[in-house]
């Protein structure tokens, strides 16, 4: 395969009658998928004279229209800017302004938020809605009807493997999001990594519950499953009970989720092998899975594979921890996927020894081209040997397994002694009454920074801050003990489940002296 279009072209040729996409109330087979993509492409070319390199913002939930529009735009050489519809209006405006988007296609559910910012988008030359008409703005559905059921020609422009296909913004959990430019070749290489890692096949039916506007759901789940002739079931809104029923009724075989979602599913009736006998693969993403959750999942699904994974927007999924290692090393991110190079580098760009903390670095055809409009940062993203600096800290053990310690930006410097918040979080999660924990650095007049913990109790359980501090004091050196513990109802997260540490950080100073 050379471009993303080869995915759907192959599908309509080899499996025209097999279901490709499914959503609430609609199914589309591979033959119909090809027809729909051509209709959209021709319609956009007629209305907007869409050119190669034009940036098209796509604001939509997990729906069939997202996938078909993505394929149509990339087929013509345009660059798709997926915008998470759950972003605040000003956040969405920032992405669309930074990307210099010329056009926007908006779903009904995304319109209320978009309507508040459209007048502030000076560079936007065209707006279309997907399935409804509002304020005099026409719908793509009408344009498609004008094209007809069977377009005479393929999309009018043909993309090349080296052309930019996506402008996917980083989650911005620690700073301003950056536009990650990925070529068709990058995306296809990432799809290949996912296929090898998760063993997707034509028999698979995957439920997409993570936002498809993010790399994991789109490039590591949706596209590679379509590439092998499987079925993608798009889930627009997450509800634990409804998801279990959907998985039962549609014989779902694969589910990828974040630890928080798994913890929501575990107490639910029916989340077990007896109710979901076809579920063969559970994939953990975006954060480390705690041992208690890991054990509980394996007890519910003893025959299914549970795989831990590591990746980032700039490179998609890079490593996996195979099922037979999950119970033994639940805190590991495993081994690099075949086709991916990974290493731990010290500050001099040399290989760090076993057990030595350094920066996780990756290399391969799946790694992005650069950051949009940021040439200096794009150059700085790679070391002198061509390895991507992920900004993630970790180590490699004597068996070759990789471990993730957290973001370099999150490291806490307490009186000159640096440590990762994850070390403290893992310690707090040993307490049975704790469901979730997040640790950030808080300013201190004497020590510079100290650890501040935010803790969520399990349902029906109670936990006191002093108990958390006491537990840490018995297991951690003094500089890693939280100076402050707050019991909260929930942790702030972005739409893929990553904790927003910048929201938690205390901007003030802590006056308490060390123990």
């Amino acid at each position: 395969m050379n471009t993303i279009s080869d995915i759907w072209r192959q599908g309509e040729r080899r499996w025209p009658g097999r279901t490709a996409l499914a959503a609430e109330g609609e199914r589309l087979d591979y033959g119909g998928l090809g027809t729909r993509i051509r209709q959209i492409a021709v319609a956009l070319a007629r209305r907007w004279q869409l050119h190669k390199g034009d940036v098209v913002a796509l604001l939509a939930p997990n729906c069939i229209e997202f996938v078909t529009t993505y394929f149509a735009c990339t087929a013509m050489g345009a660059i798709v800017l997926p915008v998470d519809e759950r972003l605040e209006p000003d956040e969405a405006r920032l992405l669309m302004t930074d990307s210099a988007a010329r056009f926007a296609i908006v779903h009904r559910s995304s319109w209320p938020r978009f309507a508040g910012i459209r007048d502030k988008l000076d560079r936007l030359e065209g707006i279309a809605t997907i399935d409804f008409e509002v304020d005099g703005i026409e719908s793509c559905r009408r344009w498609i009807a004008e094209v007809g059921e069977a377009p005479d020609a393929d999309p009018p422009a043909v993309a090349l493997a080296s052309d930019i296909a996506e402008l996917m913004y980083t989650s911005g959990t620690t700073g301003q999001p950056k536009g990650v430019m990925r070529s068709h070749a990058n995306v296809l290489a990432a799809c290949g990594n996912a296929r090898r890692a998760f063993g997707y096949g034509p028999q698979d039916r995957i439920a997409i519950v993570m936002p498809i506007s993010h790399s994991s759901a789109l490039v590591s789940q949706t596209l590679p499953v379509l590439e092998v002739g499987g079925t993608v079931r798009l889930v627009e809104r997450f509800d634990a009970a409804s998801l279990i029923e959907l998985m039962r009724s549609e014989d779902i075989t694969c589910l990828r989720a974040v630890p928080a979602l798994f913890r929501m599913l575990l107490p639910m009736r029916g989340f077990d092998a007896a109710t979901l006998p076809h579920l063969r693969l559970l994939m953990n993403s975006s954060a480390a899975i705690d041992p208690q959750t890991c054990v509980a999942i394996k007890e519910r699904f003893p025959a299914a594979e549970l795989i831990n994974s590591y990746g980032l927007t700039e490179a998609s999924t890079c490593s996996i921890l195979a099922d037979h290692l999950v119970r033994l090393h639940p805190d590991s991110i495993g081994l690099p996927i075949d086709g991916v190079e990974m290493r731990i580098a010290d500050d001099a760009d040399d290989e760090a020894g076993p057990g030595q903390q350094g920066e996780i670095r990756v290399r391969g055809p799946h790694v992005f081209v650069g950051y949009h409009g940021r040439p200096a940062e794009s150059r700085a993203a790679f070391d002198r040997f061509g390895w991507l600096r992920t900004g993630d800290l970790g180590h490699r053990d004597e068996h070759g397994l990789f471990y993730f310690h957290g973001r370099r930006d999150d490291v806490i410097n307490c009186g000159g002694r640096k440590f990762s918040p994850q070390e403290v979080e893992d310690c707090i999660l040993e307490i049975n009454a704790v469901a979730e924990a997040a640790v950030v650095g808080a300013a201190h007049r004497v020590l510079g920074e100290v650890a501040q913990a935010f803790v969520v109790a399990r349902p029906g359980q109670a936990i006191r801050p002093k108990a958390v501090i006491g537990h840490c004091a018995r297991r951690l050196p003094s500089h890693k003990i939280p100076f402050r513990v707050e019991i909260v109802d929930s942790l702030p997260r972005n739409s893929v489940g990553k904790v927003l540490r910048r929201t938690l950080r205390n901007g003030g100073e802590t006056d308490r002296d060390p123990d």
Side-chain angles (χ1 to χ4, degrees):
M1 290 192 175
N2 294 314
T3 70
I4 292 169
S5 295
D6 291 332
I7 295 175
W8 58 269
R9 292 184 196 279
Q10 170 188 257
E12 68 175 353
R13 183 179 69 252
R14 296 182 61 184
W15 316 292
R18 184 182 297 171
T19 299
L21 299 171
E24 189 67 33
E26 185 179 8
R27 291 182 179 272
L28 195 64
D29 61 30
Y30 279 91
L33 175 62
T35 299
R36 184 82 61 87
I37 292 166
R38 288 184 174 86
Q39 289 174 322
I40 296 171
V42 172
L44 294 178
R46 288 179 181 177
R47 292 287 178 161
W48 286 342
Q49 289 77 51
L50 200 61
H51 295 103
K52 180 179 286 192
D54 286 342
V55 177
V56 181
L58 180 54
L59 290 80
N62 290 8
C63 60
I64 287 177
E65 291 88 352
F66 182 103
V67 181
T68 54
T69 304
Y70 172 88
F71 276 134
C73 291
T74 54
M76 293 189 290
I79 302 170
V80 177
L81 166 67
V83 180
D84 189 339
E85 66 160 2
R86 303 176 213 196
L87 291 177
E88 292 299 320
D90 282 343
E91 292 178 300
R93 180 178 59 81
L94 173 65
L95 268 56
M96 296 174 71
T97 301
D98 184 78
S99 66
R102 289 189 63 196
F103 305 102
I105 300 176
V106 188
H107 189 269
R108 179 187 300 271
S109 63
S110 307
W111 183 258
R113 294 191 176 207
F114 177 80
I117 62 172
R118 60 175 175 153
D119 293 337
K120 301 176 182 178
L121 298 167
D122 297 334
R123 295 187 182 181
L124 212 58
E125 298 177 21
I127 305 170
T129 56
I130 287 178
D131 57 352
F132 71 108
E133 295 185 14
V134 64
D135 297 340
I137 296 173
E138 290 187 313
S139 164
C140 287
R141 184 163 293 180
R142 171 182 287 189
W143 299 353
I144 291 170
E146 294 174 359
V147 169
E149 291 298 322
D152 295 330
D154 273 0
V158 179
L160 301 176
S162 58
D163 289 338
I164 303 301
E166 299 176 353
L167 189 52
M168 191 84 70
Y169 275 76
T170 58
S171 58
T173 54
T174 59
Q176 288 294 332
K178 298 187 289 288
V180 173
M181 299 186 295
R182 302 206 294 191
S183 68
H184 286 257
N186 291 154
V187 172
L188 290 178
C191 288
N193 292 343
R195 290 198 320 274
R196 290 187 292 275
F198 305 121
Y200 295 136
Q203 78 287 348
D204 277 321
R205 296 170 297 278
I206 189 169
I208 306 296
V209 296
M210 301 172 72
I212 199 170
S213 55
H214 288 255
S215 177
S216 175
L218 181 61
V219 179
S220 293
Q221 299 176 62
T222 300
L223 297 185
V225 170
L226 292 175
E227 200 172 7
V228 297
T231 297
V232 174
R233 177 54 165 95
L234 297 154
V235 181
E236 184 172 340
R237 290 285 183 270
F238 172 76
D239 172 78
S242 299
L243 177 60
I244 291 170
E245 174 54 28
L246 179 152
M247 293 170 66
R248 184 200 64 77
S249 63
E250 303 208 19
D251 296 336
I252 295 298
T253 63
C254 305
L255 176 69
R256 191 172 190 181
V258 299
L261 190 147
F262 280 125
R263 286 191 284 265
M264 293 174 67
L265 288 170
L266 281 169
M268 303 296 297
R269 176 183 293 182
F271 189 64
D272 52 51
T275 305
L276 306 172
H278 295 91
L279 193 59
R280 72 162 187 88
L281 178 62
L282 294 142
M283 299 165 278
N284 177 56
S285 178
S286 297
I289 191 166
D290 59 280
Q292 298 95 321
T293 301
C294 169
V295 170
I297 292 173
K298 290 301 295 180
E299 288 176 348
R300 297 288 188 90
F301 299 94
E305 286 188 274
L306 174 61
I307 292 179
N308 199 10
S309 64
Y310 165 80
L312 61 161
T313 305
E314 290 87 343
S316 295
T317 304
C318 295
S319 71
I320 63 163
L321 183 71
D323 180 77
H324 69 281
L325 294 172
V326 169
R327 282 200 178 192
L328 296 174
H329 307 278
D331 52 342
S332 172
I333 57 174
L335 298 169
I337 301 163
D338 184 25
V340 176
E341 294 181 86
M342 283 180 63
R343 71 195 297 240
I344 303 294
D346 60 22
D347 291 339
D349 294 339
D350 295 324
E351 186 84 24
Q356 181 183 351
Q357 179 174 278
E359 183 179 40
I360 301 173
R361 298 190 183 173
V362 299
R363 190 166 63 179
H366 59 294
V367 175
F368 80 135
V369 173
Y371 296 115
H372 175 75
R374 302 183 185 217
E377 290 186 54
S378 297
R379 290 190 296 270
F382 296 89
D383 67 20
R384 56 197 169 103
F385 301 113
W387 293 84
L388 171 65
R389 304 176 189 269
T390 67
D392 294 329
L393 297 177
H395 78 275
R396 193 176 186 181
D397 68 16
E398 64 275 14
H399 304 295
L401 293 173
F402 284 81
Y403 295 78
F404 171 72
H405 296 174
R407 295 287 298 167
R408 181 185 291 275
D409 294 342
D410 294 334
V411 167
I412 299 170
N413 187 345
C414 181
R417 291 179 290 181
K418 299 179 181 180
F419 61 96
S420 166
Q422 187 169 327
E423 298 177 64
V424 187
E425 292 166 358
D426 290 344
C427 180
I428 295 173
L429 286 170
E430 294 173 357
I431 304 172
N432 290 332
V434 172
E436 296 181 294
V439 173
V440 298
H444 189 278
R445 291 175 181 172
V446 177
L447 298 175
E449 279 187 308
V450 291
Q452 179 175 0
F454 297 83
V455 176
V456 180
R458 292 186 182 276
Q461 299 287 320
I463 185 75
R464 293 182 302 116
K466 286 186 177 180
V468 175
I469 294 172
H471 176 83
C472 293
R474 291 189 292 272
R475 287 165 172 76
L476 298 173
S478 60
H479 66 285
K480 298 181 182 180
I481 301 169
F483 271 43
R484 178 184 297 161
V485 174
E486 293 187 30
I487 310 301
V488 295
D489 294 332
S490 62
L491 299 176
R493 298 179 181 274
N494 66 13
S495 55
V496 294
K498 292 182 180 179
V499 174
L500 294 171
R501 295 185 188 274
R502 70 174 185 269
T503 303
L504 293 174
R505 282 198 181 92
N506 186 344
E509 292 189 336
T510 300
D511 294 319
R512 177 182 164 188
D513 292 326
D515 292 336

